[in-house]
Structures are given as C-alpha cells and as structure tokens.
Amino acid sequence: MNSYGAGADPAVEWAVVDSGIGPLLLAATGTGLVSVDFHARPAVRDAALDRLRTRFGAEPVQAPGSARLAGPVRRLAAYFAGERQDFDLALDWSLTAGFHREVLRKLASGVPYGTVVGYGELAARVGRPEAAQAVGAAMGANPLPVVVPCHRVVESDGGLGGFGGGLETKRQLLALEGVLPQPLF
C-alpha cells in the first residue's frame, strides 16, 4: 500500500526544476501537465500549491522523480537548451475553462516557435475579433505558460504587452526563440 491509500495515486504531483528563466514549479495529474509557475520560490510555490489543493480537493504531493513529470522536465530542459521547439505533452486543461480555454488551445496549436501574434489577431482566430482585452486576460490566467506559449502574444504596435512572469522573462523567452535579439551581456 502506498501513502495515498490502497491502490490510489495522488491527484497532483509537483516538483520545482531549474530553467533558463529561473525555478519553475511543474505540476501534473494523471491526465497530464496541469500547471507551470514562474519564479517558484517559497511564496509563489505556496500560492501555487494552495490553488492546486483547492481545485483538486487533495494535497499535492512533491515528487521530483515522478513519471508524470519526467517528460515535461526533459522537454523543458531541451527547450531551454535550444534543442526543442515544441513540447508534445499531454496537458490537463482543468485549471481553465470557457473562452480562456478556447484561446489557450488556439494559441498552443496555432502560434509556433519563433513567431508572435497580436492580442487582436488571436481574438480574431477564435472568432471574437472584438475581444483583444479578453485575450489579454486569458494570457494572464494561463496555468501552463511556456508550454502554452503566452509569451508569443504581443501588442499590435510591436510592444511586448504584459506577462505574468515579468517582462524580462518574456524578453528572455522571445530571445531564446529568435524573435528578439539576445542581450549583448
């Protein structure tokens, strides 16, 4: 018998991993990767775990060697090393719903590595051209950043727009993908 009860698996397993943009908290369910959180220091980690605990009604289990997390950890490491341009992962979309989910799925499937899209253009792609601000809200609520690449959504005038991980993190991700120049030092 494991510590989760007879034959039971934990609802959510998580680990903090290093990345090219700082520590990331990755969480996965039996369905797939459910959450990626930037800057996973104690306060951020605790807030992320509280959100997962509330949503799934169970204590998330720290499991750095988890089979559920092995694929995401490997693929993210390859991405940050410049060796991978897509993630090809099972995703658990349960932390998002409605319009936000629709926008995020369109982003994940329709805005490839090394490209960007405007908020308004992404709104038009989901059939709601008037909803650019709502697209911005969906990007801000993205539970799977980097893997669902909200960093690729920019302002129509060429500005970076906002980013939950901070604008410097957005710049780093876009530089990694060749959209922006790498800093000189």
Side-chain angles (χ1 to χ4, degrees), residues 3 15 22 43 59 63 65 70 89 92 119-120 122 129 132 137 141 149-150 157 167-168 178:
S3 60
E59 187 64 33
L89 290 168
D92 180 335
Y119 293 96
L122 187 54
C150 53
D157 66 2
L167 288 182
E168 183 54 33

Side-chain angles (χ1 to χ4, degrees), residues 59-155:
E59 187 64 33
V61 174
Q62 186 172 10
S66 163
R68 290 181 188 172
L69 293 169
V73 168
R74 268 194 319 276
R75 286 171 174 84
L76 280 161
Y79 169 81
F80 285 109
E83 299 165 356
R84 185 172 196 95
Q85 296 185 356
D86 59 43
F87 293 99
D88 189 30
L89 290 168
L91 301 177
D92 180 335
W93 294 96
S94 63
L95 294 179
T96 186
F99 180 73
H100 285 193
R101 184 183 291 183
E102 183 180 356
V103 169
L104 293 171
R105 284 180 177 262
K106 181 63 75 175
L107 173 64
S109 66
V111 183
Y113 182 97
T115 66
V116 293
V117 64
Y119 293 96
E121 183 183 340
L122 187 54
R125 289 184 188 185
V126 295
R128 302 259 314 269
E130 75 291 350
Q133 284 185 315
V135 165
M139 297 304 102
N142 180 5
L144 294 159
V146 182
V147 175
V148 176
C150 53
H151 60 278
R152 296 180 190 153
V153 183
V154 297
E155 295 175 343

Side-chain angles (χ1 to χ4, degrees), residues 4 10 12-17 25-28 49 59-70 73:
Y4 316 118
V12 180
E13 294 178 342
W14 66 276
V16 174
V17 298
L25 184 146
L26 306 181
L49 295 175
E59 187 64 33
V61 174
Q62 186 172 10
S66 163
R68 290 181 188 172
L69 293 169
V73 168

